[in-house]
């Protein structure tokens, strides 16, 4: 006979097994539900950004990659509408100076001279936002997705600030407000008998704004898309060279001038440097804080160029005479010549370190020679046989200076030879953008002033090259669209902006032969013929529809937005009440087209070009008798008050 205890054991065991089975079932169900929830959550946001992912503080929850990019572009455009704002309060209770720089400096008659001060690279940022929570294992992705939902994740966007232009705009806005710093110098007068009279002109202290801290604050604001007035402080500017330095070397002047006269020679031409001329070249430098009487390179360079005005020459590219699509004649180019000031100056400095010689001395001018791109080589042997692509752009209605700059640019591009495997750079091809090189300025609004700025017409040169490279089926390695739509470059999306030192326009010659650009103008049209050898490739362009002729390309235009209201900026440079405006306002838009090149072996390479054009308000200067006091910030703006770094 069994005991009561043994009779209960089977019952207990059965109960335990039952509850264990129930618990296991619950666990399985919960795991299944969890797995279903995880998979369902990922499927719910398939093709869209997961909740909690932000860029520049902008929420992108549930947006597609394209929608995320559009949202970021809209947020950036709205944030930059009020410009970049700075405030300077002079000492002694003088009126506060309000400085507002438009996010894009605007040329009155030529948009090519305009320049974006802050630019965001939003396409990679939108792609990164869409990729968040999708790049790892299932467990890693799940953790990232739910982490973002609980604690929002902020991703970075690449920001480029044109600090040189921002600094220049601030300085232009306060021009004349601060006394400039001046080093002490020697005033040397040489009499008829060759005896010098030396007078020390004392130094003058100056003042200037502390712009570096403001630039650091501006970058932080740009990263937060929260722009507010940034306070500016000033500081004393002390001269590097003082009267004591000048007095210390004053007595060395007669000994230095005793080396003159001497001569400089170049290609059989001889010029005498008299004592009076030599005196103009002398200056004071510091070495280990010790003053030295010497010949500064800048003064020497200016003096040599005055003595030999035809010394330096720009390399002339070879040229082709083309009629009915055939090369009729070929002319080799000529070399370029540039002064090597440091090498020329070295023996003069060595001479001045010696005791004065009664004999006249002669020194050769050292130059750097640059070979032309096209020499006497046979174009046929280089593979320059036929036109492989043509780029065109229209500059109707351009003002005089813009037309002259376009002519300069076309002449410099003409004859450019790109070897197989070589990369074409428009900035390198055009050379320095200086008044000495012949470039003419346009007036640009910076702050509350109009100042001359070089660069008008440049983008006509870059845009035509972009279209020519597309027509030739060549890979584009660097291209940026304008910040807003420009009538010279319609249809929108087929333009390329350039500005020294950036952005540049570049493409590769991936053909087995050289490519030569024959550039010229006909009426109001710029034409670039790309000469080379056909290698069996073909190109297609798809915008509104697919075409095989780049001249018929019409990119897809979307996200069209109206321009903001006209912005008035007070200035003291105009009579009270007089208004001076930039060009008319521009609607914003996005443009997109695909570019597909099919090679002879059947390989296809496709690229998409997307352009974002900001809605642009008309900006006008209005003359006033005195600048208005800055308007107090609203509480909302005060929350984004200037940051102290």
């Amino acid at each position: 006979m069994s005991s009561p205890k043994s009779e209960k054991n089977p019952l207990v065991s059965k109960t335990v097994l039952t509850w264990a089975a129930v618990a296991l079932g619950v666990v399985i169900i919960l795991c299944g539900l969890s797995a279903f929830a995880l998979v369902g959550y990922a499927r719910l946001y398939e093709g869209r950004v997961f909740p909690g992912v932000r860029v520049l503080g902008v929420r992108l929850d549930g947006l597609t990659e394209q929608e995320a990019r559009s949202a970021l572009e809209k947020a950036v455009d709205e944030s930059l509408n009020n410009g970049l704002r700075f405030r300077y309060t002079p000492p002694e209770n003088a009126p506060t100076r309000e400085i507002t720089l438009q996010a894009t400096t605007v040329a009155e008659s030529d948009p090519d001279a305009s320049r974006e001060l802050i630019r965001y690279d939003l396409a990679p940022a939108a792609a990164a936002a869409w990729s968040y929570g999708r790049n790892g294992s299932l467990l890693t992705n799940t953790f990232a997705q739910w982490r973002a939902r609980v604690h929002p994740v902020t991703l970075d966007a690449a920001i480029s600030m044109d600090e040189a232009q921002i600094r220049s705009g601030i300085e232009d806005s306060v021009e004349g407000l601060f006394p400039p710093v001046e080093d002490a110098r020697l005033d040397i007068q040489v009499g008829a008998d060759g005896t010098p009279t030396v007078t020390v002109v004392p130094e003058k202290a100056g003042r200037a704004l502390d712009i570096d801290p403001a630039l650091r604050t501006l970058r932080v604001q740009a990263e937060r898309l929260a722009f507010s007035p940034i306070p500016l402080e000033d500081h004393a500017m002390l001269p590097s060279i003082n009267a004591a330095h000048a007095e210390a070397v004053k007595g060395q002047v007669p000994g230095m001038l005793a080396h003159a006269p001497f001569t400089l020679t170049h290609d059989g031409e001889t010029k005498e440097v008299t004592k009076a001329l030599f005196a103009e070249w002398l200056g004071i430098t510091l070495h280990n804080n010790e003053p030295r009487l010497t010949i500064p390179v800048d003064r020497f360079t200016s003096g040599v160029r005055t003595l030999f005005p035809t010394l330096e020459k720009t390399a002339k590219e070879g040229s082709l005479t083309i009629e009915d699509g055939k090369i009729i004649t070929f002319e080799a180019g000529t070399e370029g010549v540039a002064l090597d000031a440091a090498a020329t100056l070295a023996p003069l400095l060595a001479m001045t370190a010696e005791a004065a010689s009664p004999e006249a001395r002669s020194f050769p001018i050292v130059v750097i020679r640059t070979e032309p791109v096209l020499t006497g080589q046979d174009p046929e042997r280089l593979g320059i046989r036929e036109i492989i692509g043509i780029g065109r752009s229209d500059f109707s209605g351009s003002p005089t200076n813009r037309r002259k700059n376009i002519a300069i640019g076309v002449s410099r591009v003409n004859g450019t030879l790109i070897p197989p495997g070589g990369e074409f750079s428009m900035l390198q091809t055009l050379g320095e953008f200086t008044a000495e090189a012949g470039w003419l300025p346009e007036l640009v609004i910076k702050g509350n002033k109009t100042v001359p700025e070089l660069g008008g017409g440049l983008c006509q040169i870059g845009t035509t090259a972009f279209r020519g490279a597309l027509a030739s089926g060549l890979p584009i390695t660097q291209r940026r669209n304008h910040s807003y739509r420009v009538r010279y470059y319609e249809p929108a999306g087929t333009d390329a902006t350039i500005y020294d030192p950036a952005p540049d326009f570049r493409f590769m010659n991936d053909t087995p032969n050289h490519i030569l650009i024959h550039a010229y103008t006909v009426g109001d049209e710029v034409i670039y013929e790309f000469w080379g050898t056909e290698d069996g490739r073909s190109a297609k362009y798809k915008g509104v529809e697919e075409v095989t002729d780049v001249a018929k390309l019409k990119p897809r235009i979307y996200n069209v937005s109206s321009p903001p209201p006209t912005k008035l900026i007070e200035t003291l440079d105009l009579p009270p009440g007089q208004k001076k405006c930039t060009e008319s306002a521009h609607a914003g838009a996005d443009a997109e087209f695909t570019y597909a090149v099919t090679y002879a072996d059947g390989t296809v390479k496709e690229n998409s070009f997307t352009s974002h054009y900001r809605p642009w308000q008309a900006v006008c200067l209005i003359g006033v008798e005195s600048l208005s006091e800055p308007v107090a910030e609203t509480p909302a703006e005060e929350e984004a008050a200037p940051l102290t770094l």
Side-chain angles (χ1 to χ4, degrees), residues 416 418 422-431 504-507:
T416 299
I418 308 109
E423 184 180 35
F424 170 88
S425 164
M426 182 58 76
L427 289 180
Q428 291 178 9
T429 301
L430 294 178
D504 194 0
F505 170 71
R506 295 172 178 257
F507 66 83

Side-chain angles (χ1 to χ4, degrees), residues 497-514:
T497 182
I498 59 172
Y499 204 100
D500 187 31
D504 194 0
F505 170 71
R506 295 172 178 257
F507 66 83
M508 292 291 297
N509 174 12
D510 64 343
T511 76
N513 298 286
H514 286 71

Side-chain angles (χ1 to χ4, degrees), residues 237-251:
M237 293 284 290
L238 300 178
S240 301
I241 299 172
N242 56 41
H245 292 140
E247 289 287 353
V249 299
K250 176 180 176 181

Side-chain angles (χ1 to χ4, degrees), residues 493-568:
T494 63
D495 59 315
T497 182
I498 59 172
Y499 204 100
D500 187 31
D504 194 0
F505 170 71
R506 295 172 178 257
F507 66 83
M508 292 291 297
N509 174 12
D510 64 343
T511 76
N513 298 286
H514 286 71
I515 290 177
L516 180 135
I517 303 179
H518 177 49
Y520 58 97
T521 59
V522 176
D524 288 333
E525 189 175 40
V526 178
I527 302 173
Y528 289 175
E529 295 175 351
F530 282 55
W531 284 72
T533 300
E534 293 283 2
D535 63 356
R537 73 181 63 192
S538 61
K540 292 182 179 180
Y541 322 91
K542 186 175 182 180
V544 176
E545 58 184 6
E546 187 173 270
V547 296
T548 56
D549 182 355
V550 73
K552 296 180 180 180
L553 169 63
K554 294 182 179 180
R556 184 173 68 91
I557 308 296
Y558 58 100
N559 288 343
V560 177
S561 57
S562 301
T566 299
K567 184 179 184 64
L568 297 179

Side-chain angles (χ1 to χ4, degrees), residues 143-210:
F143 176 77
Q145 294 163 14
W146 286 96
R147 175 178 176 272
R149 188 169 192 110
V150 177
H151 298 289
V153 175
T154 299
L155 304 179
D156 294 330
I159 303 173
S160 56
M161 282 176 39
D162 191 338
E163 294 190 0
Q165 285 289 324
I166 296 172
R167 184 184 299 275
S168 173
I170 295 173
E171 291 173 345
D172 287 337
S173 296
V174 297
E175 185 180 9
L177 193 62
F178 301 102
V181 62
E182 295 181 17
D183 283 333
R185 59 184 177 84
L186 297 176
D187 181 18
I188 307 172
Q189 302 295 326
V190 180
D193 61 353
T195 303
T197 301
V198 186
T199 304
V200 172
V201 180
E203 74 278 9
K204 292 182 180 179
R207 296 196 71 79
L209 289 176
D210 281 321

